Amino acid sequence: MSLYRDTGIVLRVHKLGEADRIITLLTRRHGKVRAVAKGVRRTSSRFGARLEPFGHVDVQFYTGRTLDVITQVETVDAFALPLVGDYQRYTAASAITETADRLSAEEGEPALRLYLLVTGALRALADGQRDASLVLDAFLLRAMAFAGWAPAITECARCGLPGPHNAFSVQAGGSMCGTCRVPGSVHPAPEVLVLLEALLHGDWDVAEASLAGPRRDASGLVAAHLQWHLERQLRSLPLVERRAREAPVAGK
């Protein structure tokens, strides 16, 4: 029997038989792992509550023929507790874990950067100090950068001409100059591009000072860009409540 340990985020769970579950985790060293947790649906289970979505756990596995089996679980961070009672944060967290599941398609392939992005985003949501929509969009932009799909924001996606530019095409890869602009491009306000750049690079002072309109438009571009590259819609993304906090008033 081959044993190994790793820390991971629970991305999703599926029922198996009458008492078991298949747990999908994104782990620090082994990437995505699907493993069986036996008996966790029984009320007498020793670690069933620790293996819920958004849980950050330290897990011991043994290698099975088809699926590995979870034998020990310890909680590292109980992110789920503050998330499940808040609809906006819960739906944002669901979109984060679904995106991570889609981007880590190959099981057993290390994805440390993605693991750190997911952990950081869930921690920020659980802390509740930042607007959930901004946290989600920042994660999605950085996750797309991890996958090699980051939209061009400050330069033309086609010719590389420094911007900002007033056209944006999801299909073409982002911002576009007047020469390269393609039919069907949208024309986001300059504030939208400023916000996208701030979210991608973690400039939270700029991001949190943004207004509701640019936030809404930026969220639409991020969602469209992600789902274009995934070639399918995220089930959780339409459920996200985009209720923006008001920007702080200067001098307060």
Side-chain angles (χ1 to χ4, degrees):
M1 182 174 64
S2 177
L3 293 173
Y4 67 97
R5 295 191 75 93
D6 209 341
T7 55
I9 297 287
V10 178
L11 301 181
R12 57 190 171 99
V13 300
H14 288 103
K15 292 180 180 178
L16 179 66
E18 295 185 358
D20 305 339
R21 278 181 177 158
I22 297 175
I23 313 295
T24 302
L25 304 101
L26 180 62
T27 66
R28 174 181 285 272
R29 294 185 298 276
H30 297 85
K32 185 159 74 174
V33 174
R34 294 173 70 244
V36 176
K38 295 186 176 181
V40 294
R41 290 162 55 201
R42 298 193 182 102
T43 56
S44 59
S45 172
R46 292 176 294 122
F47 48 73
R50 300 171 192 168
L51 292 172
E52 295 292 338
F54 320 134
H56 188 204
V57 289
D58 180 271
V59 188
Q60 179 174 278
F61 307 87
Y62 79 77
T63 305
R65 291 183 179 179
T66 54
L67 292 173
D68 295 348
V69 178
I70 294 172
T71 59
Q72 293 181 9
V73 183
E74 298 293 337
T75 298
V76 177
D77 292 293
F79 292 142
L81 291 176
L83 296 179
V84 295
D86 184 294
Y87 182 80
Q88 187 184 29
R89 289 193 283 167
Y90 173 81
T91 53
S94 297
I96 286 169
T97 53
E98 185 181 356
T99 301
D101 191 19
R102 296 281 182 86
L103 293 182
S104 54
E106 294 294 327
E107 294 182 30
E109 289 292 325
L112 177 60
R113 184 180 172 193
L114 183 60
Y115 163 81
L116 294 175
L117 286 173
V118 174
T119 304
L122 292 181
R123 180 171 286 113
L125 287 176
D127 288 344
Q129 298 301 307
R130 302 197 188 281
D131 181 82
S133 288
L134 292 179
V135 172
L136 172 59
D137 288 335
F139 167 80
L140 294 178
L141 283 167
R142 295 174 194 181
M144 284 190 284
F146 160 80
W149 304 335
I153 300 171
T154 59
E155 70 285 336
C156 176
R158 181 163 292 176
C159 70
L161 181 70
H165 303 295
N166 64 359
F168 192 102
S169 171
V170 169
Q171 295 86 340
S175 293
M176 307 205 77
C177 68
T179 302
C180 299
R181 184 178 58 199
V182 297
S185 298
V186 297
H187 301 279
E191 295 81 6
V192 175
L193 299 179
V194 169
L195 175 56
L196 290 174
E197 181 73 4
L199 291 173
L200 180 60
H201 296 291
D203 190 343
W204 286 101
D205 289 338
V206 171
E208 292 178 332
S210 60
L211 300 177
R215 292 188 188 189
R216 181 179 59 251
D217 293 344
S219 294
L221 291 178
V222 171
H225 195 85
L226 173 66
Q227 292 178 132
W228 169 264
H229 284 284
L230 287 175
E231 299 182 344
R232 59 188 297 187
Q233 187 176 33
L234 290 176
R235 292 174 300 172
S236 54
L237 204 53
L239 303 177
V240 175
E241 182 179 342
R242 296 290 189 174
R243 183 186 71 248
R245 292 179 182 173
E246 301 216 351
V249 178
K252 289 191 177 183

